[in-house]
Amino acid sequence: HWTSARSGAMTVHYLVRAVALVIAAVGVVVVCGRYEVRGDITEKKLASLAPQTKQLLADLETDRVVKIDAFVSPEVPEDYVQTRLNLLNTLREIQALAGDKIQVRVTETEQFTEEATLAEQRYKITPRQVTTLDQDKVNIDQIFLGVAIRCGLNRVVIPFLDRGIPIEYELIRSIGTVVQQKRKRLGILTTGAPLYGQFNMQTMSAGRNWPIVDELEKQYEVIQIDPAKPIDVKECDVLLAVQPSMLGPQQMDHFVDAVRAGLPTVIFEDPAPVASGGVTATSQQRRPPGGMMMMQQQPPPKGDIQKLWNLLGVEFSGDSVVWQNYNPYPKMADVFWPEFVFVASKNNVDEELGMEGFNEDDPISSGLQELLLLFPGSITELNVSSLKMEPLAETGTQSGSIPYNEIFQMSPFGGPGGLNPRRQHVLMNRSYVMAARIRGEVDAPVEDDAPAENPDAEEKSAKKPAKKSTIDVVLVADVDVISPEIFRLREQPELPGLRIELNFDNVTFVLNALDELAGNTEYIEIRKRRPVHRTLTRIDEETKDARKETAEVSEKANRDFDQAQKDEEKKLRERLMKLEKDYQSKHLDQQEILQKVQIALVEGQKRMNARMEKLEQERDRKIHEINTKLVIKTRQVQERYKLFAVLLPPIPPLLLAGIVFMLRRLREKEGVAQKRLRS
């Protein structure tokens, strides 16, 4: 105890202790900083980087420092909290592991500030307007989640990291791009598919590229390959061919020769492209040049796509579409038709579906969770082929196929019209291959290097053994997997109002295929990572019954409304049929009968619409009431736990303080005379 008799000595004593404590603390900080003593104590390892990322950072060689400038809003909507946290955690880990090679600067940025002006003027990073739904209330915010990576004169800018973007992959890929002096070359075959923005005659402006092109340009040197002339296989490291069936005869021959010569190729062929505007179906004629103004012209001839299938040793269903009786999103049953084929990991679905899922032995498809294909075809291996076909993605056995001409109704102007509501789904109880990798040796294209009129040269070349080439092709029976709509869903996977999150691996699958064939394998495993944030399980558990009741009431209200609509339509048809029979029994003129029936139809339609409007209002009222109850229940549970979070934490330290105080008081009384205690 501090006593007046020893005041000076005690002052020096405690001063020395305080200085020693400060020195020890500084020493611990210096040691931890020097030796990077770090640990990730989160259950899902949210603050940890993939082993491949750590290796890439360790092997990073550059004469210049890589500078990362992140412009992040200090406050973001609830739906973007996890994205912001993932971004900041990843940047911290990259800075810690890279050391002096990388400098990270995070700037909290709000609208109409100097930081916002700097982000826009220097890097073209602007605030993104985001719409979120918070307890039935629509909120519109302007937020910053942009990153710029620089190394010397090289620069990569990520204007906005939306919720579905894999942040770790985007950052490490961008770092590798600015450091790498020479990129691999990726060729995009010019087939007629509008991957590059085409000029719009109506708006007199150039269209936008498909997002897949913009995505590839971040990593590769992308060039366009014209198949009108022979393709130099040394011109690029990997070739992307979208709907090669649109090629002409000579173009098709040049393309097949390039594949035969061993150019690694990723092919997307679709018997029914429904989300890829400007792409012609496999079995349909090529569109005449000039669009609508030139509709009277004869369509140009198509190349024989069968030459490609013969080379690859496969049979492709170019005139039929695969369907599957599996929808992991039952709330969207009206949107996801059976022809929306989901391929899922067989570990995540019931065994009854017989889902083959993904090939876990190939780096392209291993670790994927879900793939969505729209009206796809199928691939079958031919037994006579010497090539090896390895399925990458397969459906379950609850599947079948429909001929193309039975899926769509024909329009009056020719070509497919609307979807045929009476199409038949016949179950075939077999699985279909949606994507496959085909490898092996084939005879290389014959080089015509001897004059045709020299018989000796012809005889000499005939005696030479045929050269062999190794082909490596990934064939996907759908083009819509890389459509712009899929990329939009990748950026914003959650559907407002439905509380449904669509986590398709379409983009990951496509980029994996191109990287694997091009030899860029360092990003494949990083791209597959999905940070999983823990939810408040206790709150979810306590509101489970309320959420279940809400879903049941909503579904029942929708079912009742649909049934009521069918009943009203049936009653209207019956009334019209009865009315028509009554008029016919009175021997009225046929024209007069049609007029009277038409009048009755209009009046009946009005009455039915009024009735349905009333039922719709009643349905919406019930759904609104049950949703309101759910929101109130959730708020009550949240408020209760917030109160617990405020009141409970101080109790243990207060109890400990009381116990320590009592113990110290008891120790102070030890050895003290009772007379002194009473005084």
Side-chain angles (χ1 to χ4, degrees):
H1 298 283
W2 198 298
T3 61
S4 58
R6 302 174 57 192
S7 178
M10 293 300 295
T11 301
V12 174
H13 174 78
Y14 276 100
L15 180 61
V16 172
R17 289 178 63 179
V19 172
L21 184 61
V22 171
I23 294 174
V26 172
V28 170
V29 171
V30 171
V31 171
C32 291
R34 183 179 297 274
Y35 293 99
E36 288 297 338
V37 180
R38 304 175 62 83
D40 185 359
I41 61 175
T42 59
E43 181 179 355
K44 300 297 182 180
K45 301 301 178 183
L46 298 177
S48 299
L49 300 179
Q52 294 80 6
T53 302
K54 295 178 181 179
Q55 188 62 44
L56 287 172
L57 292 174
D59 298 339
L60 191 64
E61 296 183 1
T62 175
D63 298 332
R64 299 174 181 267
V65 176
V66 178
K67 297 182 179 180
I68 302 178
D69 290 310
F71 297 89
V72 182
S73 294
E75 299 291 337
V76 297
E78 183 179 355
D79 291 348
Y80 285 84
V81 169
Q82 293 183 357
T83 303
R84 182 180 184 275
L85 178 62
N86 289 340
L87 173 59
L88 296 179
N89 284 341
T90 305
L91 289 174
R92 292 191 192 102
E93 286 300 303
I94 288 176
Q95 174 70 89
L97 293 176
D100 297 335
K101 300 176 184 177
I102 296 178
Q103 293 180 0
V104 177
R105 180 174 61 183
V106 178
T107 304
E108 291 192 350
T109 310
E110 295 181 301
Q111 274 190 288
F112 314 117
T113 60
E114 294 182 1
E115 292 81 5
T117 303
L118 174 65
E120 182 174 0
Q121 292 181 350
R122 181 175 294 182
Y123 303 114
K124 306 299 182 184
I125 295 177
T126 56
R128 175 73 62 88
Q129 178 176 303
V130 296
T131 303
T132 56
L133 188 66
D134 182 16
Q135 297 177 346
D136 293 338
K137 179 182 177 183
V138 177
N139 297 323
I140 299 177
D141 300 279
Q142 300 278 351
I143 62 174
F144 285 88
L145 284 174
V147 181
I149 299 97
R150 296 175 293 145
C151 182
L153 298 177
N154 295 331
R155 173 191 295 183
V156 173
V157 177
I158 308 172
F160 190 79
L161 287 163
D162 224 317
R163 289 172 291 176
I165 303 297
I167 293 176
E168 181 180 346
Y169 161 69
E170 286 289 334
L171 292 177
I172 194 63
R173 191 264 306 274
S174 300
I175 292 172
T177 300
V178 297
V179 171
Q180 191 177 17
Q181 297 297 322
K182 185 178 180 181
R183 307 185 192 182
K184 286 187 177 280
R185 298 180 61 134
L186 183 147
I188 296 182
L189 190 71
T190 303
T191 61
L195 273 69
Y196 286 91
Q198 297 181 344
F199 191 80
N200 191 323
M201 296 297 294
Q202 295 180 351
T203 61
M204 300 301 293
S205 60
R208 296 183 59 183
N209 294 346
W210 278 21
I212 181 64
V213 176
D214 299 332
E215 183 73 19
L216 294 173
E217 287 178 344
K218 297 177 182 178
Q219 181 177 345
Y220 291 92
E221 180 185 349
V222 179
I223 59 175
Q224 296 189 56
I225 303 296
D226 184 8
K229 55 185 179 181
I231 300 173
D232 184 3
V233 296
K234 297 180 180 179
E235 192 174 359
C236 57
D237 298 289
V238 63
L239 182 65
L240 172 63
V242 178
Q243 205 70 357
S245 61
M246 298 174 66
L247 296 173
Q250 188 180 35
Q251 296 172 326
M252 179 66 71
D253 292 340
H254 291 159
F255 171 56
V256 173
D257 286 343
V259 176
R260 184 186 295 276
L263 178 59
T265 308
V266 178
I267 302 172
F268 294 89
E269 182 64 35
D270 197 334
V274 295
S276 306
V279 178
T280 304
T282 304
S283 60
Q284 299 301 300
Q285 294 181 337
R286 295 175 68 189
R287 298 179 182 178
M292 293 297 294
M293 297 178 62
M294 307 296 291
M295 286 295 290
Q296 300 301 322
Q297 289 190 4
Q298 290 293 327
K302 294 181 70 171
D304 186 6
I305 191 69
Q306 190 60 41
K307 293 181 179 180
L308 178 63
W309 308 145
N310 292 339
L311 170 63
L312 299 179
V314 299
E315 180 182 348
F316 186 88
S317 61
D319 56 357
S320 62
V321 169
V322 173
W323 65 274
Q324 181 176 231
N325 188 20
Y326 169 62
N327 178 11
Y329 306 98
K331 286 186 177 181
M332 301 187 66
D334 295 337
V335 179
F336 291 155
W337 302 314
E339 292 81 10
F340 282 52
V341 176
F342 292 89
V343 177
S345 173
K346 58 184 177 183
N347 297 326
N348 298 336
V349 297
D350 296 335
E351 294 184 2
E352 299 176 356
L353 293 172
M355 181 70 70
E356 294 296 332
F358 299 103
N359 184 350
E360 295 297 332
D361 296 328
D362 195 291
I364 296 175
S365 54
S366 64
L368 299 184
Q369 300 299 316
E370 193 170 86
L371 195 66
L372 172 63
L373 302 98
L374 312 181
F375 292 76
S378 62
I379 308 165
T380 305
E381 184 179 15
L382 298 178
N383 295 329
V384 297
S385 175
S386 61
L387 301 178
K388 181 180 180 182
M389 188 188 95
E390 301 172 2
L392 298 177
E394 296 182 72
T395 68
T397 55
Q398 300 295 310
S399 306
S401 63
I402 307 176
Y404 178 86
N405 55 12
E406 294 183 11
I407 294 178
F408 300 101
Q409 298 172 335
M410 298 304 294
S411 69
F413 303 101
L419 198 64
N420 179 15
R422 293 180 295 275
R423 62 193 187 278
Q424 299 295 320
H425 297 96
V426 180
L427 186 64
M428 301 301 293
N429 292 317
R430 53 158 293 193
S431 61
Y432 292 85
V433 177
M434 301 284 97
R437 187 173 185 179
I438 304 163
R439 290 180 283 187
E441 287 189 346
V442 296
D443 292 335
V446 178
E447 298 181 2
D448 189 11
D449 54 359
E453 61 274 7
N454 189 343
D456 295 335
E458 289 183 0
E459 183 180 356
K460 184 177 180 181
S461 66
K463 295 179 180 179
K464 291 182 179 179
K467 293 183 179 179
K468 295 289 185 178
S469 61
T470 302
I471 68 172
D472 194 354
V473 172
V474 171
L475 175 60
V476 183
D478 188 39
V479 168
D480 299 321
V481 293
I482 58 173
S483 66
E485 295 300 328
I486 292 295
F487 275 80
R488 293 190 188 99
L489 288 176
R490 179 197 185 218
E491 293 177 354
Q492 296 187 351
E494 186 174 345
L495 301 179
L498 296 177
R499 299 298 181 186
I500 297 177
E501 189 168 354
L502 307 175
N503 284 322
F504 306 140
D505 288 319
N506 290 37
V507 178
T508 300
F509 173 76
V510 173
L511 297 180
N512 285 354
L514 291 168
D515 282 1
E516 172 70 13
L517 267 59
N520 277 342
T521 58
E522 61 267 23
Y523 299 129
I524 292 179
E525 294 301 322
I526 303 173
R527 192 183 292 122
K528 297 176 184 177
R529 293 196 73 199
R530 286 185 179 183
V532 179
H533 290 260
R534 284 290 304 274
T535 60
L536 300 177
T537 53
R538 182 60 63 88
I539 293 179
D540 289 344
E541 186 65 28
E542 292 201 18
T543 58
K544 179 181 179 180
D545 294 338
R547 286 185 283 109
K548 183 179 179 181
E549 182 184 359
T550 300
E552 291 176 351
V553 171
S554 298
E555 291 177 6
K556 185 178 184 301
N558 287 320
R559 287 197 306 268
D560 293 344
F561 176 79
D562 293 339
Q563 186 61 44
Q565 186 175 16
K566 293 178 181 178
D567 293 342
E568 290 294 326
E569 292 174 352
K570 182 179 179 181
K571 291 178 182 178
L572 179 59
R573 288 194 301 269
E574 291 175 351
R575 284 199 300 267
L576 293 175
M577 291 175 63
K578 184 177 182 300
L579 187 62
E580 186 176 1
K581 289 181 179 180
D582 291 342
Y583 287 145
Q584 288 176 351
S585 65
K586 295 178 181 179
H587 304 289
L588 297 178
D589 181 71
Q590 187 67 28
Q591 187 66 26
E592 186 177 359
I593 293 176
L594 291 176
Q595 291 177 354
K596 290 181 178 296
V597 171
Q598 184 66 28
I599 294 173
L601 174 61
V602 173
E603 293 177 353
Q605 191 71 42
K606 288 181 180 179
R607 288 194 297 269
M608 189 184 73
N609 290 341
R611 170 67 175 160
M612 296 312 301
E613 184 177 355
K614 184 177 179 180
L615 291 174
E616 186 176 7
Q617 292 175 354
E618 181 67 18
R619 180 201 62 182
D620 294 342
R621 184 186 62 80
K622 290 181 180 179
I623 293 177
H624 179 72
E625 286 180 358
I626 194 65
N627 284 334
T628 302
K629 291 181 181 179
L630 175 61
V631 170
I632 293 174
K633 173 68 174 178
T634 304
R635 285 178 179 173
Q636 289 175 346
V637 175
Q638 290 176 344
E639 293 297 331
R640 184 167 74 250
Y641 278 96
K642 287 180 182 178
L643 183 62
F644 290 162
V646 173
L647 297 180
L648 295 181
I651 293 178
L654 289 176
L655 291 175
L656 181 62
I659 294 173
V660 171
F661 176 77
M662 295 299 298
L663 291 175
R664 295 190 65 178
R665 291 292 295 173
L666 292 174
R667 289 177 181 175
E668 288 177 357
K669 294 179 181 180
E670 292 179 0
V672 180
Q674 293 294 325
K675 182 185 293 185
R676 292 187 60 186
L677 290 175
R678 287 195 297 270
S679 61

